[in-house]
Amino acid sequence: MRNVMIADDDKDLRYMLKYLIESTTNFAVVAEAGTGEEAIAMCEKHQPDLVIMDVQMPVMDGIEATRRIKDRWPRVYVLGLTAFSDYPETMLGAGADKCLLKTESYGSLTNLMERIRDEAETGTAHY
């Protein structure tokens, strides 16, 4: 597990997350999307191992995009990312494997990503 897609309608946040991920982890950002529809298309094209999915996006939100991605590619790990404390349960219900609040530290995000990768590589995943 090494390839990541970032789906968030905030271009600056995508840029920051990409920089953070590529400078502090062994993951590579292989695709970015600004809408749920783009996220699905980018999954088709790039086959990422991990999708970091914002909840609220235009055209199609991250909740519906997560449902469709998990239906089509159940092995793709979806990590929900939201600014709203009432959405983690909704994302998990849509099939996301985990959900973090944007208010959590970025160290929490990268630590979780490393743990996900290690568990996937050793076969000890507890999603």
Side-chain angles (χ1 to χ4, degrees), residues 78-95:
V78 177
L79 175 57
L81 194 60
T82 180
F84 303 98
S85 62
D86 54 338
Y87 280 112
E89 292 298 320
T90 305
M91 279 297 283
L92 294 171

PDB file of all heavy atoms in Angstrom, residues 78-95:
ATOM      1  N   VAL A  78     -10.641   3.801   2.372  1.00  0.00           N
ATOM      2  CA  VAL A  78     -11.138   5.180   2.334  1.00  0.00           C
ATOM      3  C   VAL A  78     -11.035   5.777   3.730  1.00  0.00           C
ATOM      4  O   VAL A  78     -11.594   5.248   4.690  1.00  0.00           O
ATOM      5  CB  VAL A  78     -12.591   5.260   1.824  1.00  0.00           C
ATOM      6  CG1 VAL A  78     -13.088   6.701   1.875  1.00  0.00           C
ATOM      7  CG2 VAL A  78     -12.687   4.720   0.399  1.00  0.00           C
ATOM      8  N   LEU A  79     -10.302   6.860   3.802  1.00  0.00           N
ATOM      9  CA  LEU A  79     -10.126   7.608   5.034  1.00  0.00           C
ATOM     10  C   LEU A  79     -10.885   8.916   4.893  1.00  0.00           C
ATOM     11  O   LEU A  79     -10.497   9.785   4.107  1.00  0.00           O
ATOM     12  CB  LEU A  79      -8.634   7.868   5.274  1.00  0.00           C
ATOM     13  CG  LEU A  79      -8.246   8.731   6.459  1.00  0.00           C
ATOM     14  CD1 LEU A  79      -8.792   8.160   7.759  1.00  0.00           C
ATOM     15  CD2 LEU A  79      -6.738   8.869   6.528  1.00  0.00           C
ATOM     16  N   GLY A  80     -12.009   9.030   5.592  1.00  0.00           N
ATOM     17  CA  GLY A  80     -12.803  10.248   5.542  1.00  0.00           C
ATOM     18  C   GLY A  80     -12.120  11.373   6.290  1.00  0.00           C
ATOM     19  O   GLY A  80     -11.429  11.151   7.287  1.00  0.00           O
ATOM     20  N   LEU A  81     -12.306  12.580   5.788  1.00  0.00           N
ATOM     21  CA  LEU A  81     -11.716  13.762   6.408  1.00  0.00           C
ATOM     22  C   LEU A  81     -12.795  14.844   6.402  1.00  0.00           C
ATOM     23  O   LEU A  81     -13.314  15.197   5.339  1.00  0.00           O
ATOM     24  CB  LEU A  81     -10.498  14.207   5.600  1.00  0.00           C
ATOM     25  CG  LEU A  81      -9.551  15.194   6.230  1.00  0.00           C
ATOM     26  CD1 LEU A  81      -8.940  14.639   7.518  1.00  0.00           C
ATOM     27  CD2 LEU A  81      -8.435  15.550   5.251  1.00  0.00           C
ATOM     28  N   THR A  82     -13.157  15.330   7.588  1.00  0.00           N
ATOM     29  CA  THR A  82     -14.246  16.294   7.678  1.00  0.00           C
ATOM     30  C   THR A  82     -13.981  17.359   8.727  1.00  0.00           C
ATOM     31  O   THR A  82     -13.273  17.112   9.700  1.00  0.00           O
ATOM     32  CB  THR A  82     -15.587  15.585   7.987  1.00  0.00           C
ATOM     33  OG1 THR A  82     -16.622  16.566   8.054  1.00  0.00           O
ATOM     34  CG2 THR A  82     -15.539  14.811   9.284  1.00  0.00           C
ATOM     35  N   ALA A  83     -14.569  18.502   8.511  1.00  0.00           N
ATOM     36  CA  ALA A  83     -14.487  19.593   9.480  1.00  0.00           C
ATOM     37  C   ALA A  83     -15.647  19.555  10.469  1.00  0.00           C
ATOM     38  O   ALA A  83     -15.666  20.302  11.433  1.00  0.00           O
ATOM     39  CB  ALA A  83     -14.472  20.937   8.749  1.00  0.00           C
ATOM     40  N   PHE A  84     -16.603  18.672  10.228  1.00  0.00           N
ATOM     41  CA  PHE A  84     -17.822  18.659  11.026  1.00  0.00           C
ATOM     42  C   PHE A  84     -17.900  17.408  11.890  1.00  0.00           C
ATOM     43  O   PHE A  84     -17.865  16.288  11.379  1.00  0.00           O
ATOM     44  CB  PHE A  84     -19.040  18.744  10.102  1.00  0.00           C
ATOM     45  CG  PHE A  84     -18.991  19.965   9.221  1.00  0.00           C
ATOM     46  CD1 PHE A  84     -18.538  19.868   7.919  1.00  0.00           C
ATOM     47  CD2 PHE A  84     -19.360  21.202   9.720  1.00  0.00           C
ATOM     48  CE1 PHE A  84     -18.472  20.991   7.108  1.00  0.00           C
ATOM     49  CE2 PHE A  84     -19.293  22.329   8.916  1.00  0.00           C
ATOM     50  CZ  PHE A  84     -18.849  22.228   7.611  1.00  0.00           C
ATOM     51  N   SER A  85     -18.052  17.600  13.181  1.00  0.00           N
ATOM     52  CA  SER A  85     -17.998  16.476  14.121  1.00  0.00           C
ATOM     53  C   SER A  85     -19.169  15.509  13.995  1.00  0.00           C
ATOM     54  O   SER A  85     -19.093  14.392  14.496  1.00  0.00           O
ATOM     55  CB  SER A  85     -17.920  16.999  15.563  1.00  0.00           C
ATOM     56  OG  SER A  85     -19.070  17.756  15.883  1.00  0.00           O
ATOM     57  N   ASP A  86     -20.241  15.906  13.308  1.00  0.00           N
ATOM     58  CA  ASP A  86     -21.368  14.988  13.170  1.00  0.00           C
ATOM     59  C   ASP A  86     -21.285  14.104  11.922  1.00  0.00           C
ATOM     60  O   ASP A  86     -22.143  13.262  11.705  1.00  0.00           O
ATOM     61  CB  ASP A  86     -22.697  15.744  13.193  1.00  0.00           C
ATOM     62  CG  ASP A  86     -22.767  16.863  12.169  1.00  0.00           C
ATOM     63  OD1 ASP A  86     -21.708  17.343  11.732  1.00  0.00           O
ATOM     64  OD2 ASP A  86     -23.881  17.256  11.810  1.00  0.00           O
ATOM     65  N   TYR A  87     -20.233  14.234  11.117  1.00  0.00           N
ATOM     66  CA  TYR A  87     -20.127  13.438   9.897  1.00  0.00           C
ATOM     67  C   TYR A  87     -19.325  12.148   9.990  1.00  0.00           C
ATOM     68  O   TYR A  87     -19.481  11.276   9.127  1.00  0.00           O
ATOM     69  CB  TYR A  87     -19.561  14.273   8.746  1.00  0.00           C
ATOM     70  CG  TYR A  87     -20.603  15.148   8.103  1.00  0.00           C
ATOM     71  CD1 TYR A  87     -20.544  16.523   8.223  1.00  0.00           C
ATOM     72  CD2 TYR A  87     -21.645  14.593   7.370  1.00  0.00           C
ATOM     73  CE1 TYR A  87     -21.503  17.329   7.631  1.00  0.00           C
ATOM     74  CE2 TYR A  87     -22.603  15.392   6.781  1.00  0.00           C
ATOM     75  CZ  TYR A  87     -22.517  16.764   6.911  1.00  0.00           C
ATOM     76  OH  TYR A  87     -23.470  17.555   6.334  1.00  0.00           O
ATOM     77  N   PRO A  88     -18.449  11.959  10.962  1.00  0.00           N
ATOM     78  CA  PRO A  88     -17.689  10.689  10.967  1.00  0.00           C
ATOM     79  C   PRO A  88     -18.573   9.446  10.919  1.00  0.00           C
ATOM     80  O   PRO A  88     -18.284   8.514  10.161  1.00  0.00           O
ATOM     81  CB  PRO A  88     -16.870  10.771  12.254  1.00  0.00           C
ATOM     82  CG  PRO A  88     -16.620  12.231  12.416  1.00  0.00           C
ATOM     83  CD  PRO A  88     -17.915  12.879  11.969  1.00  0.00           C
ATOM     84  N   GLU A  89     -19.644   9.418  11.693  1.00  0.00           N
ATOM     85  CA  GLU A  89     -20.529   8.248  11.690  1.00  0.00           C
ATOM     86  C   GLU A  89     -21.171   8.045  10.319  1.00  0.00           C
ATOM     87  O   GLU A  89     -21.331   6.911   9.860  1.00  0.00           O
ATOM     88  CB  GLU A  89     -21.608   8.371  12.767  1.00  0.00           C
ATOM     89  CG  GLU A  89     -21.074   8.284  14.183  1.00  0.00           C
ATOM     90  CD  GLU A  89     -20.405   6.937  14.477  1.00  0.00           C
ATOM     91  OE1 GLU A  89     -20.917   5.894  14.036  1.00  0.00           O
ATOM     92  OE2 GLU A  89     -19.355   6.945  15.150  1.00  0.00           O
ATOM     93  N   THR A  90     -21.532   9.135   9.664  1.00  0.00           N
ATOM     94  CA  THR A  90     -22.133   9.043   8.335  1.00  0.00           C
ATOM     95  C   THR A  90     -21.132   8.480   7.335  1.00  0.00           C
ATOM     96  O   THR A  90     -21.481   7.635   6.509  1.00  0.00           O
ATOM     97  CB  THR A  90     -22.636  10.427   7.871  1.00  0.00           C
ATOM     98  OG1 THR A  90     -23.519  10.951   8.859  1.00  0.00           O
ATOM     99  CG2 THR A  90     -23.358  10.340   6.538  1.00  0.00           C
ATOM    100  N   MET A  91     -19.887   8.940   7.409  1.00  0.00           N
ATOM    101  CA  MET A  91     -18.852   8.423   6.503  1.00  0.00           C
ATOM    102  C   MET A  91     -18.601   6.940   6.760  1.00  0.00           C
ATOM    103  O   MET A  91     -18.470   6.159   5.818  1.00  0.00           O
ATOM    104  CB  MET A  91     -17.548   9.210   6.657  1.00  0.00           C
ATOM    105  CG  MET A  91     -17.531  10.517   5.909  1.00  0.00           C
ATOM    106  SD  MET A  91     -17.675  10.323   4.112  1.00  0.00           S
ATOM    107  CE  MET A  91     -16.020   9.810   3.684  1.00  0.00           C
ATOM    108  N   LEU A  92     -18.535   6.554   8.011  1.00  0.00           N
ATOM    109  CA  LEU A  92     -18.323   5.140   8.336  1.00  0.00           C
ATOM    110  C   LEU A  92     -19.500   4.304   7.836  1.00  0.00           C
ATOM    111  O   LEU A  92     -19.310   3.204   7.309  1.00  0.00           O
ATOM    112  CB  LEU A  92     -18.120   4.963   9.834  1.00  0.00           C
ATOM    113  CG  LEU A  92     -16.843   5.607  10.396  1.00  0.00           C
ATOM    114  CD1 LEU A  92     -16.846   5.552  11.921  1.00  0.00           C
ATOM    115  CD2 LEU A  92     -15.593   4.965   9.828  1.00  0.00           C
ATOM    116  N   GLY A  93     -20.703   4.837   7.951  1.00  0.00           N
ATOM    117  CA  GLY A  93     -21.879   4.145   7.449  1.00  0.00           C
ATOM    118  C   GLY A  93     -21.881   4.004   5.933  1.00  0.00           C
ATOM    119  O   GLY A  93     -22.473   3.074   5.390  1.00  0.00           O
ATOM    120  N   ALA A  94     -21.202   4.912   5.246  1.00  0.00           N
ATOM    121  CA  ALA A  94     -21.110   4.858   3.785  1.00  0.00           C
ATOM    122  C   ALA A  94     -20.011   3.901   3.322  1.00  0.00           C
ATOM    123  O   ALA A  94     -19.878   3.646   2.136  1.00  0.00           O
ATOM    124  CB  ALA A  94     -20.848   6.252   3.223  1.00  0.00           C
ATOM    125  N   GLY A  95     -19.211   3.397   4.283  1.00  0.00           N
ATOM    126  CA  GLY A  95     -18.172   2.436   3.929  1.00  0.00           C
ATOM    127  C   GLY A  95     -16.763   2.893   4.190  1.00  0.00           C
ATOM    128  O   GLY A  95     -15.814   2.132   3.963  1.00  0.00           O
TER     129      GLY A  95
END
